[in-house]
Amino acid sequence: MSDRGRPRSFDRTAALRQAMELFWAKGYEGTSIADLTAAMGIGSPSLYAAFGSKEALFLEATEYYTQAEGTEIWAALDKAPTACKAVENFLRQTARAYSQSDRPQGCLIALGALHEDSSSGAICDDLRRRRAENRTALLRRLERAVAEGELPAGFDSGTAATFYATVQHGMSIQARDGASRAALLATVAGAMAAWQGLAGTT
């Protein structure tokens, strides 16, 4: 008799979270199917039946990560009263999120796969797109500040967005290498010291 239509004997969301944390800690290429089935508590047939493939599982796991982890980082951009405070809060929330002790350090989107991979590039393409979307979120907040007259008309929003996105990526690597929250916050302080130069203020 076919198993089609039978309810799965595991919690799919819980299994997906386990996969996400494993990919987060070890990256796409560093994570094997055996690693995944052990962490998720399922056999490989169940993994393939539920998620299709390792590649599809990673893509779903990164979407889950985007929805479940670090949401306070991006919320900080809209909640702050000024662009300067928005960027500072964005980086400070990054420092907190990347240095939590109960989960892998750093960022899955930044560290999940940095080279062309065995998925014919689909994994790298997806992460590259997500990183670009993150930069765009910064860019839009800065452009809004220019439009509202908070920042001067000549403010280079694109350069500033790239700079602060790059700082965030560097913090991810620092965190993965064991940097403390205090060390990450020191990086934030240094990055914000550059704000006056970027904004043309004294």
Side-chain angles (χ1 to χ4, degrees):
M1 177 181 290
S2 171
D3 288 338
R4 182 172 297 177
R6 288 186 181 178
R8 296 189 182 95
S9 60
F10 67 94
D11 183 328
R12 191 180 190 282
T13 300
L16 180 62
R17 180 165 189 90
Q18 291 298 318
M20 177 199 75
E21 292 194 357
L22 193 59
F23 284 130
W24 189 356
K26 301 181 71 172
Y28 178 77
E29 291 293 347
T31 302
S32 68
I33 292 294
D35 293 332
L36 289 165
T37 54
M40 298 165 77
I42 60 176
S44 56
S46 293
L47 185 153
Y48 288 114
F51 299 101
S53 66
K54 177 186 172 184
E55 174 186 327
L57 174 57
F58 183 90
L59 294 173
E60 188 170 343
T62 54
E63 178 60 26
Y64 182 86
Y65 174 90
T66 299
Q67 299 298 323
E69 296 291 333
T71 54
E72 68 279 5
I73 294 173
W74 303 102
L77 287 178
D78 291 325
K79 289 180 178 178
T82 67
C84 179
K85 196 64 178 174
V87 171
E88 181 181 3
N89 289 352
F90 158 79
L91 292 177
R92 291 180 68 84
Q93 290 292 349
T94 292
R96 293 187 183 97
Y98 287 4
S99 59
Q100 294 179 87
S101 60
D102 62 344
R103 63 202 65 191
Q105 278 68 56
C107 173
L108 173 60
I109 305 305
L111 300 175
L114 295 176
H115 306 287
E116 290 304 313
D117 53 74
S118 59
S119 67
S120 301
I123 299 302
C124 288
D125 287 347
D126 182 71
L127 295 178
R128 192 176 296 115
R129 174 184 61 80
R130 292 178 187 277
R131 290 191 291 267
E133 289 174 351
N134 291 346
R135 177 190 173 276
T136 297
L138 281 166
L139 177 63
R140 287 175 177 163
R141 181 63 183 87
L142 296 171
E143 288 178 338
R144 190 181 102 195
V146 173
E148 293 173 349
E150 177 197 335
L151 289 172
F155 181 79
D156 190 340
S157 298
T159 294
T162 297
F163 173 71
Y164 286 110
T166 301
V167 170
Q168 188 192 43
H169 295 159
M171 290 169 68
S172 181
I173 296 171
Q174 283 184 301
R176 180 59 57 87
D177 286 347
S180 66
R181 182 169 300 180
L184 295 179
L185 288 171
T187 296
V188 174
M192 292 315 300
W195 177 267
Q196 291 184 351
L198 289 167
T201 59
T202 59

Short mmCIF file of all heavy atoms in Angstrom, two decimals, residues 44-74:
data_model
loop_
_atom_site.label_atom_id
_atom_site.label_comp_id
_atom_site.label_asym_id
_atom_site.label_seq_id
_atom_site.Cartn_x
_atom_site.Cartn_y
_atom_site.Cartn_z
N SER A 44 16.56 9.13 6.12
CA SER A 44 16.71 9.84 4.84
C SER A 44 15.47 9.73 3.96
O SER A 44 15.12 10.71 3.28
CB SER A 44 17.96 9.35 4.10
OG SER A 44 17.93 7.96 3.91
N PRO A 45 14.73 8.60 3.95
CA PRO A 45 13.51 8.58 3.13
C PRO A 45 12.51 9.64 3.58
O PRO A 45 11.86 10.29 2.74
CB PRO A 45 12.97 7.16 3.34
CG PRO A 45 14.17 6.34 3.67
CD PRO A 45 15.02 7.25 4.51
N SER A 46 12.38 9.84 4.89
CA SER A 46 11.46 10.86 5.39
C SER A 46 11.95 12.26 5.03
O SER A 46 11.15 13.15 4.71
CB SER A 46 11.32 10.75 6.92
OG SER A 46 10.67 9.54 7.27
N LEU A 47 13.26 12.45 5.09
CA LEU A 47 13.81 13.76 4.72
C LEU A 47 13.48 14.09 3.27
O LEU A 47 12.99 15.19 2.97
CB LEU A 47 15.33 13.77 4.95
CG LEU A 47 16.06 15.10 4.73
CD1 LEU A 47 17.32 15.16 5.59
CD2 LEU A 47 16.45 15.31 3.26
N TYR A 48 13.74 13.14 2.38
CA TYR A 48 13.48 13.38 0.96
C TYR A 48 11.98 13.52 0.68
O TYR A 48 11.57 14.34 -0.15
CB TYR A 48 14.10 12.27 0.11
CG TYR A 48 15.60 12.34 0.05
CD1 TYR A 48 16.39 11.34 0.61
CD2 TYR A 48 16.25 13.41 -0.58
CE1 TYR A 48 17.77 11.40 0.56
CE2 TYR A 48 17.63 13.48 -0.64
CZ TYR A 48 18.39 12.47 -0.06
OH TYR A 48 19.77 12.55 -0.11
N ALA A 49 11.16 12.74 1.39
CA ALA A 49 9.72 12.83 1.18
C ALA A 49 9.18 14.19 1.63
O ALA A 49 8.29 14.75 1.00
CB ALA A 49 9.01 11.70 1.93
N ALA A 50 9.72 14.70 2.72
CA ALA A 50 9.21 15.95 3.28
C ALA A 50 9.79 17.18 2.61
O ALA A 50 9.09 18.19 2.45
CB ALA A 50 9.50 15.99 4.78
N PHE A 51 11.07 17.11 2.20
CA PHE A 51 11.75 18.32 1.73
C PHE A 51 12.27 18.23 0.29
O PHE A 51 12.64 19.25 -0.28
CB PHE A 51 12.90 18.66 2.68
CG PHE A 51 12.45 18.94 4.08
CD1 PHE A 51 12.57 17.97 5.07
CD2 PHE A 51 11.87 20.16 4.41
CE1 PHE A 51 12.14 18.22 6.38
CE2 PHE A 51 11.45 20.42 5.72
CZ PHE A 51 11.58 19.45 6.70
N GLY A 52 12.32 17.07 -0.27
CA GLY A 52 12.70 16.91 -1.67
C GLY A 52 14.15 16.61 -1.90
O GLY A 52 14.49 15.67 -2.61
N SER A 53 15.04 17.41 -1.32
CA SER A 53 16.47 17.25 -1.52
C SER A 53 17.21 18.08 -0.49
O SER A 53 16.60 18.92 0.20
CB SER A 53 16.88 17.72 -2.93
OG SER A 53 16.67 19.12 -3.06
N LYS A 54 18.50 17.86 -0.38
CA LYS A 54 19.32 18.68 0.52
C LYS A 54 19.25 20.15 0.10
O LYS A 54 19.13 21.04 0.94
CB LYS A 54 20.76 18.19 0.52
CG LYS A 54 21.70 19.02 1.38
CD LYS A 54 23.16 18.55 1.22
CE LYS A 54 24.12 19.49 1.91
NZ LYS A 54 25.53 19.12 1.69
N GLU A 55 19.33 20.40 -1.19
CA GLU A 55 19.27 21.77 -1.70
C GLU A 55 17.94 22.43 -1.33
O GLU A 55 17.90 23.57 -0.82
CB GLU A 55 19.44 21.78 -3.22
CG GLU A 55 19.25 23.13 -3.87
CD GLU A 55 19.27 23.06 -5.38
OE1 GLU A 55 20.00 22.20 -5.92
OE2 GLU A 55 18.55 23.83 -6.03
N ALA A 56 16.84 21.74 -1.57
CA ALA A 56 15.52 22.29 -1.26
C ALA A 56 15.37 22.51 0.24
O ALA A 56 14.76 23.50 0.68
CB ALA A 56 14.43 21.36 -1.77
N LEU A 57 15.92 21.61 1.03
CA LEU A 57 15.88 21.76 2.49
C LEU A 57 16.65 22.99 2.92
O LEU A 57 16.18 23.77 3.76
CB LEU A 57 16.45 20.50 3.16
CG LEU A 57 16.61 20.56 4.68
CD1 LEU A 57 15.27 20.86 5.35
CD2 LEU A 57 17.19 19.23 5.19
N PHE A 58 17.83 23.21 2.34
CA PHE A 58 18.61 24.39 2.69
C PHE A 58 17.85 25.66 2.33
O PHE A 58 17.80 26.61 3.12
CB PHE A 58 19.96 24.38 1.98
CG PHE A 58 20.84 25.55 2.36
CD1 PHE A 58 21.72 25.45 3.42
CD2 PHE A 58 20.78 26.74 1.66
CE1 PHE A 58 22.52 26.54 3.79
CE2 PHE A 58 21.57 27.83 2.01
CZ PHE A 58 22.45 27.72 3.08
N LEU A 59 17.26 25.70 1.15
CA LEU A 59 16.53 26.89 0.73
C LEU A 59 15.35 27.17 1.65
O LEU A 59 15.07 28.33 1.99
CB LEU A 59 16.07 26.74 -0.72
CG LEU A 59 17.19 26.68 -1.77
CD1 LEU A 59 16.61 26.35 -3.14
CD2 LEU A 59 17.99 27.98 -1.81
N GLU A 60 14.66 26.11 2.08
CA GLU A 60 13.55 26.30 3.01
C GLU A 60 14.07 26.72 4.38
O GLU A 60 13.45 27.54 5.07
CB GLU A 60 12.73 25.02 3.10
CG GLU A 60 11.45 25.21 3.89
CD GLU A 60 10.49 24.03 3.80
OE1 GLU A 60 10.64 23.19 2.90
OE2 GLU A 60 9.59 23.96 4.67
N ALA A 61 15.21 26.16 4.76
CA ALA A 61 15.79 26.51 6.06
C ALA A 61 16.23 27.97 6.10
O ALA A 61 16.07 28.65 7.12
CB ALA A 61 16.97 25.60 6.37
N THR A 62 16.77 28.48 5.00
CA THR A 62 17.17 29.88 4.99
C THR A 62 15.96 30.80 5.01
O THR A 62 16.00 31.88 5.62
CB THR A 62 18.05 30.22 3.76
OG1 THR A 62 17.39 29.83 2.56
CG2 THR A 62 19.40 29.51 3.84
N GLU A 63 14.88 30.39 4.38
CA GLU A 63 13.65 31.19 4.46
C GLU A 63 13.12 31.18 5.90
O GLU A 63 12.69 32.23 6.42
CB GLU A 63 12.60 30.64 3.50
CG GLU A 63 11.27 31.38 3.54
CD GLU A 63 11.38 32.86 3.19
OE1 GLU A 63 12.33 33.27 2.45
OE2 GLU A 63 10.52 33.64 3.66
N TYR A 64 13.17 30.03 6.53
CA TYR A 64 12.75 29.94 7.93
C TYR A 64 13.63 30.83 8.80
O TYR A 64 13.14 31.55 9.68
CB TYR A 64 12.83 28.48 8.40
CG TYR A 64 12.37 28.26 9.82
CD1 TYR A 64 11.03 28.03 10.11
CD2 TYR A 64 13.29 28.26 10.87
CE1 TYR A 64 10.61 27.83 11.42
CE2 TYR A 64 12.88 28.06 12.18
CZ TYR A 64 11.54 27.84 12.45
OH TYR A 64 11.13 27.66 13.75
N TYR A 65 14.93 30.80 8.56
CA TYR A 65 15.88 31.65 9.30
C TYR A 65 15.51 33.13 9.14
O TYR A 65 15.48 33.88 10.11
CB TYR A 65 17.29 31.39 8.78
CG TYR A 65 18.35 32.30 9.35
CD1 TYR A 65 19.04 31.96 10.51
CD2 TYR A 65 18.69 33.49 8.71
CE1 TYR A 65 20.02 32.78 11.04
CE2 TYR A 65 19.68 34.32 9.22
CZ TYR A 65 20.33 33.97 10.38
OH TYR A 65 21.31 34.80 10.90
N THR A 66 15.22 33.52 7.92
CA THR A 66 14.88 34.92 7.64
C THR A 66 13.64 35.35 8.41
O THR A 66 13.55 36.49 8.90
CB THR A 66 14.65 35.12 6.13
OG1 THR A 66 15.85 34.79 5.43
CG2 THR A 66 14.27 36.55 5.81
N GLN A 67 12.68 34.44 8.55
CA GLN A 67 11.43 34.77 9.23
C GLN A 67 11.54 34.67 10.75
O GLN A 67 10.83 35.39 11.47
CB GLN A 67 10.32 33.83 8.75
CG GLN A 67 10.02 33.91 7.27
CD GLN A 67 9.54 35.28 6.83
OE1 GLN A 67 8.80 35.95 7.56
NE2 GLN A 67 9.94 35.72 5.65
N ALA A 68 12.43 33.80 11.25
CA ALA A 68 12.45 33.49 12.68
C ALA A 68 13.61 34.10 13.45
O ALA A 68 13.51 34.30 14.67
CB ALA A 68 12.47 31.97 12.87
N GLU A 69 14.71 34.39 12.79
CA GLU A 69 15.91 34.84 13.48
C GLU A 69 16.28 36.27 13.10
O GLU A 69 16.22 36.66 11.94
CB GLU A 69 17.10 33.91 13.15
CG GLU A 69 16.91 32.48 13.62
CD GLU A 69 16.95 32.35 15.13
OE1 GLU A 69 17.60 33.19 15.79
OE2 GLU A 69 16.35 31.40 15.65
N GLY A 70 16.69 37.03 14.10
CA GLY A 70 17.22 38.37 13.84
C GLY A 70 16.22 39.38 13.33
O GLY A 70 16.61 40.42 12.77
N THR A 71 14.93 39.14 13.53
CA THR A 71 13.94 40.08 13.02
C THR A 71 14.07 41.44 13.70
O THR A 71 13.74 42.48 13.11
CB THR A 71 12.51 39.54 13.22
OG1 THR A 71 12.32 39.20 14.61
CG2 THR A 71 12.30 38.28 12.38
N GLU A 72 14.59 41.44 14.94
CA GLU A 72 14.76 42.71 15.66
C GLU A 72 15.82 43.58 15.00
O GLU A 72 15.80 44.81 15.13
CB GLU A 72 15.13 42.45 17.13
CG GLU A 72 16.49 41.85 17.36
CD GLU A 72 16.57 40.33 17.15
OE1 GLU A 72 15.56 39.73 16.73
OE2 GLU A 72 17.63 39.76 17.42
N ILE A 73 16.74 42.96 14.25
CA ILE A 73 17.78 43.73 13.56
C ILE A 73 17.13 44.66 12.54
O ILE A 73 17.43 45.86 12.47
CB ILE A 73 18.76 42.78 12.86
CG1 ILE A 73 19.54 41.95 13.89
CG2 ILE A 73 19.73 43.56 11.96
CD1 ILE A 73 20.41 40.86 13.27
N TRP A 74 16.23 44.10 11.75
CA TRP A 74 15.62 44.88 10.67
C TRP A 74 14.51 45.78 11.17
O TRP A 74 14.27 46.87 10.63
CB TRP A 74 15.16 43.93 9.57
CG TRP A 74 16.33 43.13 9.11
CD1 TRP A 74 16.64 41.83 9.44
CD2 TRP A 74 17.42 43.60 8.31
NE1 TRP A 74 17.84 41.48 8.88
CE2 TRP A 74 18.35 42.54 8.19
CE3 TRP A 74 17.70 44.82 7.68
CZ2 TRP A 74 19.52 42.65 7.46
CZ3 TRP A 74 18.88 44.94 6.97
CH2 TRP A 74 19.78 43.87 6.86
#
